[in-house]
Amino acid sequence: MPVDPKTLPQDAETLKRMLVDVTAQLDRSERLLRQLLQAKTGRKSEQLSREQLALFAAEAGLTQPEPEAPEDDSGQTPPASASGDGSSKQRGRKPLPPHLKRERVEHDLPETEKHCAQCDQDLRRIGEQVSERYEYLPAQMKVIEDACFTYACACTMKTASKPAQPIEKSTAGASVLAQVIVSKYADHLLLHRQAKMFARHGVELADQTLCDWMAQCAQLLEPLHQRLKWYVLSSKVVGTDDTPVKVLDRKLKQARKGRIWPYVGDRDHPAVIYDYTPTRERAGPEEFLKSYRGYLQADAYVAYDSFFLQPDRGMMEVGCWAHARRHVHQAQDSDPSRMRTILLMIAELYRVEKLARDRGLTGEDLRLLREQGSRPILEKLHDYLREIRQELLPKSEAGQAVNYILKNWAALTRYCDNPDLAIDNNRTERSLRGWAIGRNNWTFFGSDRGGRTAAVLRSFVASCELVRVDPFAWFHDVLSRIAEHPITRLEELLPHRWALAYSSPAGLTRMKS
């Protein structure tokens, strides 16, 4: 907007203050623009390379220790790869999977070429050269006719019963429902596109029909979803976060924002469950976690504060250094020297964690390593943060980053006292990647009911992936028999229990049949 010189104040002090305000506003706008461009086209990772760490250490006058090579049980350093480049990956083409069905095609010489013209003798076969290639068989749709025979006598008539179907009086069998669920919530394929794929097989299905199938499957699996919730909340440590999703609302002219909340179990409870809420209010996580007692690892969202301020709740906060590092990383441009020093110290904390992973340390061994390796770094970082806080403007990016760490210091350092705790909440954030990819495809939920349906079905997809179970095989089997499965034994159908049952030879035989 053009400025009229005649409207400007004549006082020099007032003009100076206006100039300072305008300059500060331009700096904020420039930083925001850089962050938007970085998020759109720039490097996404916040991790620093060895070269960057060495540079920051030189600027800060600190020494950068050399990384320690992991040792095996014999105490010797693993040998280098034969290629000499330090890579241990296998070279060359991998063999084709042995479980795939194989068809042998034999290629023979013509009869006219099986005779040698030089020695006038017939050639004899001495071997063969075998090569393999992939061939794709398009998916097929078939119709199953359930013929129930009827018998009668003079006084009685009986008709054979057919197995219970996932959706009564529906034309969709368990395999079709499993295919649609996995395509939508694992492969993020829109129902509209799936309908077009079915049409290529000569099967006309309306988008609304597929949508109704998903809602009915979620309703059928709701009791199992509650069992999955109980299993996850039995963890000693639960990680949580949230992500926005667009939701259509007929009462509004534009889509509003709903929320998906993941709750990830610890290493002894490999499962993840999602909850959907129409808003980001505290009531959502408070209702979901009302029976939970243990450690909750999350960001510093204010909605969680009341959980930790009430001793009778029995919930303890665990911070996330990835969130803390993100604030510092975004403030680099405003105060490069100080922020890079903080990043260097945080990188040292992660170096200790990498060393623990390389050595496979757990339990008391992990706690001792953190006490000896991480605790001194944390003390040095804490002293440095308190020192520079007095020199930073509280509302500046650097000041907010420092205040975030100091305000949440107890939660951020709690992982050093307990080897069951992690340095960050990245495991939970990874559980949200599927939703981020899905949003780019399906864009929005049609209603709050659609959000709840997606939360239920995606919970089982993600839990199957955690225990390395094929989601299609799980949905196909569970949907085929959950209607007649005893309610008191629903836990047997949870993905981690299902994986154990089908890892045995008898289980594999049953699944193939």
Side-chain angles (χ1 to χ4, degrees), residues 92-118:
R93 179 184 296 174
K94 295 182 179 179
L96 275 57
H99 68 275
L100 295 180
K101 182 180 179 181
R102 278 167 165 72
E103 178 181 343
R104 180 181 172 90
V105 179
E106 297 181 345
H107 306 277
D108 203 354
L109 291 173
E111 291 296 331
T112 56
E113 297 184 14
K114 292 182 180 181
H115 186 80
C116 179
Q118 296 181 3

Side-chain angles (χ1 to χ4, degrees), residues 431-487:
S431 71
L432 289 173
R433 286 181 178 175
W435 294 102
I437 298 173
R439 280 196 302 257
N440 293 333
N441 291 337
W442 38 258
T443 310
F444 55 80
F445 292 142
S447 63
D448 289 332
R449 183 191 179 193
R452 286 187 288 270
T453 295
V456 171
L457 298 179
R458 176 66 191 170
S459 295
F460 293 113
V461 169
S463 295
C464 284
E465 292 173 346
L466 274 182
V467 294
R468 299 183 178 182
V469 163
D470 178 12
F472 176 84
W474 185 87
F475 276 105
H476 185 194
D477 181 66
V478 171
L479 290 175
S480 299
R481 55 194 181 100
I482 190 172
E484 297 180 338
H485 197 80
I487 192 69

Side-chain angles (χ1 to χ4, degrees), residues 67-89 354-355 357-360:
E68 298 184 32
E71 298 180 352
D72 56 19
D73 294 338
S74 62
Q76 298 179 351
T77 302
S81 62
S83 58
D85 60 357
S87 175
S88 60
K89 293 184 179 180
K354 183 179 184 302
L355 182 61
R357 289 195 303 271
D358 292 341
R359 293 181 175 179

Side-chain angles (χ1 to χ4, degrees), residues 158-442:
K158 295 181 179 180
T159 301
S161 59
K162 63 179 182 180
Q165 297 301 305
I167 304 176
E168 288 298 328
K169 299 182 180 179
S170 171
T171 57
S175 60
V176 174
L177 296 174
Q179 174 63 27
V180 177
I181 292 172
V182 173
S183 297
K184 173 68 184 291
Y185 298 106
D187 302 326
H188 318 292
L189 189 62
L190 279 71
L191 296 180
H192 173 68
R193 295 179 188 171
Q194 293 191 57
K196 293 175 64 176
M197 295 171 65
F198 283 121
R200 290 201 292 269
H201 295 286
V203 180
E204 299 293 337
L205 294 172
D207 299 353
Q208 186 59 47
T209 300
L210 299 180
C211 187
D212 291 341
W213 285 354
M214 297 300 94
Q216 290 171 300
C217 286
Q219 184 177 2
L220 179 65
L221 294 171
E222 179 59 32
L224 192 59
H225 188 255
Q226 292 300 317
R227 289 310 199 323
L228 184 65
K229 173 184 175 180
W230 175 85
Y231 176 70
V232 170
L233 296 186
S234 299
S235 302
K236 185 176 182 179
V237 188
V238 169
T240 186
D241 205 339
D242 67 282
T243 190
V245 286
K246 291 182 179 180
V247 184
L248 297 185
D249 193 332
R250 295 181 180 179
K251 299 178 182 179
L252 302 176
K253 294 182 179 180
Q254 59 184 8
R256 56 178 170 82
K257 284 187 178 181
R259 289 280 164 174
I260 290 293
W261 307 77
Y263 298 92
V264 181
D266 56 24
R267 63 169 64 94
D268 296 325
H269 299 80
V272 55
I273 188 169
Y274 299 99
D275 187 33
Y276 167 82
T277 59
T279 66
R280 205 191 181 198
E281 296 176 356
R282 184 183 68 185
E286 187 170 21
E287 172 64 23
F288 195 93
L289 296 169
K290 64 181 180 181
S291 63
Y292 176 65
R293 302 292 183 270
Y295 293 95
L296 184 68
Q297 187 162 32
D299 58 8
Y301 179 38
V302 294
Y304 303 127
D305 291 347
S306 62
F307 301 164
F308 313 121
L309 296 177
Q310 304 173 18
D312 58 326
R313 282 297 300 267
M315 198 180 299
M316 192 168 293
E317 181 181 13
V318 182
C320 173
W321 274 105
H323 279 87
R325 180 179 59 190
R326 191 167 303 144
H327 289 293
V328 178
H329 190 273
Q330 293 173 352
Q332 277 192 93
D333 293 336
S334 63
D335 196 334
S337 178
R338 294 187 180 97
M339 296 302 103
R340 288 173 179 175
T341 302
I342 298 173
L343 287 174
L344 176 62
M345 296 186 188
I346 295 177
E348 286 301 295
L349 295 176
Y350 274 90
R351 186 187 67 85
V352 175
E353 297 302 305
K354 183 179 184 302
L355 182 61
R357 289 195 303 271
D358 292 341
R359 293 181 175 179
L361 300 182
T362 58
E364 184 64 14
D365 293 334
L366 176 57
R367 191 194 68 79
L368 289 175
L369 177 65
R370 288 173 172 174
E371 190 66 29
Q372 298 170 3
S374 301
R375 188 71 70 180
I377 300 171
L378 289 170
E379 293 174 355
K380 185 188 300 184
L381 176 59
H382 193 229
D383 292 339
Y384 182 74
L385 292 173
R386 288 191 297 180
E387 175 186 340
I388 66 174
R389 179 170 59 175
Q390 309 301 326
E391 306 169 3
L392 299 173
L393 295 176
K395 293 187 178 181
S396 66
E397 285 187 320
Q400 291 178 2
V402 170
N403 288 330
Y404 175 90
I405 298 177
L406 289 176
K407 180 182 177 182
N408 299 283
W409 187 256
L412 287 169
T413 57
R414 188 160 283 132
Y415 81 98
C416 280
D417 301 324
N418 192 326
D420 293 325
L421 306 180
I423 189 174
D424 55 36
N425 201 26
N426 284 350
R427 190 163 177 256
T428 303
E429 292 199 4
R430 285 194 295 269
S431 71
L432 289 173
R433 286 181 178 175
W435 294 102
I437 298 173
R439 280 196 302 257
N440 293 333
N441 291 337
W442 38 258

